[in-house]
Amino acid sequence: MQSTELAIDRRALLRSAILLVGGSMAGLPGEAFAQGKKLTKARFFTPAQYSVLDETAEIIIPKTDTPGARAAGVPSIIDDLMANWASAERGANFRALMDDIDRRALAAGGASLRALPPARRLEFVRAYDAEKIGAKDPVYSRLKELVLTTYYLSEAGATQELRYELVPGKWEAWTTIGPDARAWAV
Amino acid sequence: MTFDAIVVGSGMSGGWAAKELAEKGLKTLVIERGGHLEHGADYTDSLSPWELENYGLVKEAEAAEHYGIQSQCYAFSTATKHLWVKDSEHPYTTPEGRPFMWIRGYHLGGRSIMWARQSYRLSDMDFQSNARDGHGSDWPVRYEDMAPWYDHVEQFAGISGSREGLPQLPDGQFLPPMDLTGAEKDFKQKLEAAYPTRRLIIGRCAHLTEAKPHHEELGRIACQYRSLCERGCSYGSYFSSLSATLPAAQRTGNLTIVTDSIVHSVIYDPKTGKASGVRVIDAKTKQGRTYEGKVVFLCASAIPTAQIMLNSKSEAFPNGIANRSDAVGRYLMDHLSGMGASGTYPGFEQNYHSGRRPNGFYIPRYRNVTEPTEGLLRGYGFQGGVMRDNWRRGLGQAGVGPEFKASLRKPGPWRIHLSGFGEMLPRPDNRVTLHPTRTDKWGMPIVHIDVSLGDNERRMVEQVGADAKEMLERAGATGVSVRKHYGGAGLGIHEMGTAHMGKDPTKSVLNKYNQAHDVPNLFITDGACMASGGCQNPSLSYMAMSARGAHYAVQFLREGVI
């Protein structure tokens, strides 16, 4: 049990660090963000790869009226998972995936992903996503799974974007909802 | 050290044996091979998803090296990793091309902590099945022998369910049923219209939908609908050895528990013709010691119970204690699992559910009950549910950006799934033996598990998939996908039959009191005792067998018969 508690503490610390960084980044323009990003210490990906991950995740789940992937800490969590969970093979595949996204962005738009104008970035990632999901590419599919999972199960994703209750207390098998009802995260 | 009763194992069966024996005044020793697990303190049920180490993902290299088998269980995550054995520490062998996925937890309470809590009675049809089609040994008990014991264990454990009057799935002493979703009710209506003798009922599960005073006395409260059950429930809302039977045994003052103690063998005394106790290896020091008892209950679960028996060799029992029949280790059964179907259940966009129901619906067996089926023996039941999808539907979907996010914010369509559980025939060739040369790190011979499917099982796997697909399609489900892939032997996590009950001492191991034919003070009440498996989740039957076996053991001790 001790190890779990330690893990929680570590996770809690990490989370507050993420929220701190995410919170400070939320209102800043893109260029200022590049500086802010240096505060996030990538441990697994190279800075260039991390920047692709960060941008791709935020394009998949952007900030709207609720936090996006970046503010929910998704890039940092995935970097963490690469260091703490992924096999060597998966890690290598994910590194190669980030390189591939950047290379393809360069080929398609004449600039690395982060250097593309925002609208072009979105357009590029949308096309890349459609291609890879259509081909059932296992590496990209797993990345997308991790982006969605760590976003919707993050505190921001589960409690702000969606709804979550640790202790529901009762089971209501049949409720009536309106058109704006949000889904349960779990 | 000397006790009145020794119970080997603290899981579903051992907890019940200990409770009943201690409550009847026997000084009872429970021996658990794994470590102590503290109810509440060692559970992870207070954590939200974002608080789980690695979001629940167990490090891939560690999972591959140490949990190759355990990681195939749906309930394996960083929140539960401490509840599963390291396969690397607990090896066993299987024949080339015939894997057996043995899912195990070695700790106080055993798999009663991580079980799926579905609780069904066997019916008289099940107790007569071997006699009827000639497979396995005729059960020496019938439903009427078991019914009062099912009543007894249901009342104490707390089983939620609805009374349905189905002969193949007898009703019990139920707490209030959980509700079906409206989409499930709709499916029920369509199913029962399309197939007049098939029924859909709410699952019967070991959850307190209402805590009675005798539950509250043990610190158990009503289910809070978190559905985090496999992490352990600090509320004691579902039945486990740690929430219910062991505390009940403890309060009698007659219970002693030793953990980290691996039973090596049962000691046979040729002068008395009885078991005198057990030899134990200390898991930490590897030192041997013995415990003596007037009666010994083996509740180590089907495979280890057989392992201990086969390893208990003496002049009188050169092939293992109470094994004159050569049936010990044979007739290993699991339930066929992993087959089924899923699809989208159209409509009901204005409806949803709230809370997390740790239960689903159940379609009791109809094959060879109301629907005689040429070329297929026995049958199967289905567990399932109709619930609205969430963000997970986005996993395989193309899409990015604000529209994608907005679409996943809404509840998804209603999704229906059916999962079949099929009965395996008892066959002598499906067996556990001791490996001729290999031992584990405690010097215990490891087991060799050899299980294959017969023709009937192979036909059943196909039929389950076909039935699931047809039922969904006839009810109007769309995009139906079928799983005809049998997950593999072991993954039903219902090992049974390795020391089965029977009338004939030359062919079976136990008599109608769960008492070894050959050794009168040796009782076996875990899954090993099952002469056939039915298609129902078996834990409730192990509970009833354990309580009943304990009753007779105490009676025979008092009468001086054993």
Side-chain angles (χ1 to χ4, degrees):
Chain A
M1 197 53 208
Q2 201 181 5
S3 62
T4 315
E5 279 170 359
L6 284 175
I8 300 158
D9 289 343
R10 193 186 59 78
R11 175 62 67 195
L13 283 172
L14 187 66
R15 189 174 65 247
S16 43
I18 289 164
L19 291 178
L20 213 63
V21 174
S24 69
M25 293 184 310
L28 300 178
E31 285 312 300
F33 172 72
Q35 277 190 325
K37 193 180 68 65
K38 288 183 189 134
L39 297 172
T40 311
K41 196 173 158 202
R43 288 183 297 145
F44 178 82
F45 291 111
T46 65
Q49 289 163 345
Y50 187 85
S51 136
V52 173
L53 170 66
D54 180 80
E55 197 58 36
T56 305
E58 182 67 13
I59 290 171
I60 295 173
I61 307 284
K63 176 180 183 299
T64 53
D65 56 338
T66 63
R70 182 178 290 142
V74 167
S76 167
I77 292 164
I78 292 178
D79 186 76
D80 247 18
L81 287 175
M82 288 299 118
N84 299 327
W85 161 71
S87 65
E89 185 191 359
R90 189 180 303 284
N93 286 341
F94 268 59
R95 283 196 165 113
L97 174 63
M98 299 311 145
D99 294 343
D100 184 62
I101 292 173
D102 222 17
R103 207 165 34 239
R104 289 277 301 276
L106 190 62
S112 70
L113 185 64
R114 284 189 58 79
L116 288 175
R120 299 282 305 282
R121 270 182 238 167
L122 173 60
E123 185 190 330
F124 167 76
V125 173
R126 177 175 284 133
Y128 190 90
D129 173 88
E131 175 196 322
K132 294 291 183 178
I133 293 292
K136 296 194 190 308
D137 178 85
V139 181
Y140 179 79
S141 298
R142 193 63 192 248
L143 170 73
K144 190 165 186 187
E145 182 181 331
L146 288 180
V147 169
L148 298 192
T149 303
T150 58
Y151 175 74
Y152 288 110
L153 297 183
S154 71
E155 190 165 13
T159 65
Q160 295 179 52
E161 171 65 12
L162 302 180
R163 291 189 286 162
Y164 169 76
E165 283 175 345
L166 176 60
V167 186
K170 60 183 175 181
W171 163 245
E172 294 176 276
W174 202 239
T175 61
T176 302
I177 55 170
D180 296 328
R182 295 176 190 223
W184 295 109
V186 289
Chain B
M1 289 176 80
T2 302
F3 294 87
D4 294 328
I6 293 174
V7 177
V8 179
S10 64
M12 197 61 76
S13 314
W16 264 103
K19 169 188 172 308
E20 298 291 308
L21 294 166
E23 286 180 346
K24 291 173 199 297
L26 268 57
K27 293 291 176 194
T28 302
L29 173 70
V30 168
I31 304 176
E32 167 53 49
R33 68 165 298 153
H36 179 75
L37 191 74
E38 186 68 27
H39 181 58
D42 288 338
Y43 300 158
T44 51
D45 57 333
S46 64
L47 300 181
S48 286
W50 57 88
E51 294 172 324
L52 295 180
E53 183 186 351
N54 285 348
Y55 276 71
L57 298 168
V58 176
K59 194 175 177 65
E60 289 187 297
E62 184 190 3
E65 186 181 349
H66 297 298
Y67 299 99
I69 304 292
Q70 307 308 307
S71 58
Q72 296 178 49
C73 177
Y74 66 93
F76 180 80
S77 75
T78 53
T80 60
K81 195 182 76 181
H82 61 302
L83 300 175
W84 307 101
V85 300
K86 280 188 174 172
D87 296 306
S88 55
E89 259 180 35
H90 302 282
Y92 59 95
T93 56
T94 53
E96 184 72 32
R98 290 210 289 279
F100 185 91
M101 273 65 75
W102 187 13
I103 307 294
R104 299 170 276 170
Y106 291 162
H107 47 257
L108 193 66
R111 289 182 293 189
S112 79
I113 310 301
M114 310 89 91
W115 71 308
R117 310 164 309 283
Q118 291 288 298
S119 301
Y120 300 100
R121 294 185 177 203
L122 293 181
S123 71
D124 211 39
M125 178 181 308
D126 298 307
F127 289 108
Q128 292 187 41
S129 58
N130 288 356
R132 205 167 42 242
D133 61 31
H135 292 273
S137 298
D138 184 15
W139 282 89
V141 291
R142 288 293 183 262
Y143 178 69
E144 63 180 21
D145 299 304
M146 296 307 302
W149 296 99
Y150 279 125
D151 287 345
H152 177 72
V153 298
E154 284 165 348
Q155 277 164 350
F156 176 79
I159 307 295
S160 141
S162 57
R163 299 182 67 82
E164 303 284 345
L166 300 170
Q168 74 274 40
L169 198 74
D171 292 332
Q173 305 295 318
F174 296 139
L175 297 174
M178 294 178 187
D179 288 336
L180 294 167
T181 64
E184 288 166 341
K185 288 179 182 166
D186 186 78
F187 176 60
K188 172 182 167 71
Q189 188 222 324
K190 291 188 167 122
L191 175 85
E192 294 177 358
Y195 306 90
T197 65
R198 297 189 193 179
R199 289 288 173 271
L200 182 149
I201 67 173
I202 185 68
R204 295 171 179 173
C205 60
H207 286 258
L208 302 181
T209 45
E210 190 179 286
K212 303 277 190 191
H214 67 279
H215 300 128
E216 288 172 342
E217 274 171 22
L218 292 166
R220 305 181 60 194
I221 66 165
C223 182
Q224 299 298 303
Y225 300 98
R226 300 178 299 167
S227 208
L228 302 173
C229 315
E230 65 262 18
R231 301 189 198 167
C233 183
S234 299
Y235 305 143
S237 302
Y238 73 82
F239 171 86
S240 73
S241 293
L242 296 192
S243 69
T245 44
L246 290 179
Q250 203 101 50
R251 68 185 172 184
T252 65
N254 291 325
L255 179 71
T256 304
I257 295 174
V258 293
T259 54
D260 301 295
S261 300
I262 302 167
V263 172
H264 169 275
S265 50
V266 178
I267 304 165
Y268 179 71
D269 182 351
K271 289 195 287 293
T272 61
K274 295 191 284 194
S276 62
V278 296
R279 294 182 195 88
V280 161
I281 307 164
D282 188 293
K284 289 178 171 162
T285 66
K286 300 186 184 174
Q287 297 294 305
R289 61 179 184 272
T290 61
Y291 293 103
E292 290 172 1
K294 294 175 190 156
V295 60
V296 175
F297 271 69
L298 291 181
C299 298
S301 87
I303 293 170
T305 284
Q307 179 187 28
I308 291 166
M309 294 177 79
L310 294 169
N311 201 39
S312 305
K313 293 181 173 126
S314 62
E315 210 170 305
F317 293 109
N319 299 321
I321 195 163
N323 191 22
R324 293 201 177 114
S325 62
D326 188 37
V328 172
R330 294 186 182 273
Y331 301 97
L332 178 60
M333 298 169 282
D334 183 28
H335 282 132
L336 301 177
S337 70
M339 315 81 68
S342 54
T344 296
Y345 202 77
F348 309 111
E349 284 87 2
Q350 276 78 56
N351 297 102
Y352 205 11
H353 34 75
S354 179
R356 296 184 290 275
R357 182 185 62 188
N359 189 18
F361 64 63
Y362 190 63
I363 300 175
R365 176 178 153 190
Y366 47 85
R367 289 274 163 217
N368 298 313
V369 180
T370 55
E371 299 179 38
T373 304
E374 195 70 33
L376 186 76
L377 295 170
R378 317 269 170 129
Y380 41 86
F382 288 94
Q383 295 176 25
V386 194
M387 313 282 285
R388 284 195 85 155
D389 214 346
N390 63 10
W391 57 269
R392 289 184 190 276
R393 70 189 183 278
L395 296 185
Q397 260 178 33
V400 303
E403 319 82 51
F404 184 62
K405 186 183 177 191
S407 78
L408 295 182
R409 178 180 281 188
K410 296 184 195 315
W414 292 85
R415 294 277 303 166
I416 183 165
H417 78 274
L418 295 179
S419 297
F421 287 82
E423 178 166 1
M424 282 177 74
L425 292 175
R427 293 192 297 131
D429 293 344
N430 283 341
R431 68 185 298 203
V432 179
T433 50
L434 296 183
H435 195 282
T437 55
R438 285 185 62 187
T439 55
D440 65 18
K441 68 182 191 183
W442 296 278
M444 185 81 178
I446 68 168
V447 293
H448 180 73
I449 306 173
D450 184 350
V451 174
S452 59
L453 299 191
D455 291 341
N456 199 62
E457 283 88 26
R458 279 191 288 271
R459 277 196 292 274
M460 191 177 282
V461 166
E462 287 298 310
Q463 192 66 48
V464 170
D467 282 17
K469 177 172 191 286
E470 189 187 87
M471 286 190 279
L472 293 199
E473 288 180 346
R474 288 186 72 176
T478 59
V480 174
S481 67
V482 184
R483 282 173 287 118
K484 278 192 187 173
H485 173 68
Y486 169 49
L491 288 178
I493 327 184
H494 294 161
E495 314 92 67
M496 295 176 273
T498 52
H500 72 278
M501 296 168 82
K503 293 170 175 164
D504 183 347
T506 68
K507 291 183 176 149
S508 61
V509 182
L510 305 173
N511 67 14
K512 62 179 174 181
Y513 306 114
N514 292 74
Q515 180 186 25
H517 288 302
D518 301 340
V519 181
N521 67 335
L522 178 63
F523 289 76
I524 298 168
T525 62
D526 61 18
C529 77
M530 304 288 277
S532 71
C535 62
Q536 300 92 319
N537 305 56
S539 290
L540 188 72
S541 294
Y542 305 167
M543 296 188 212
M545 287 290 181
S546 297
R548 183 173 176 274
H551 168 81
Y552 285 111
V554 172
Q555 183 182 318
F556 297 158
L557 275 175
R558 292 205 174 123
E559 290 169 353
V561 184
I562 59 172

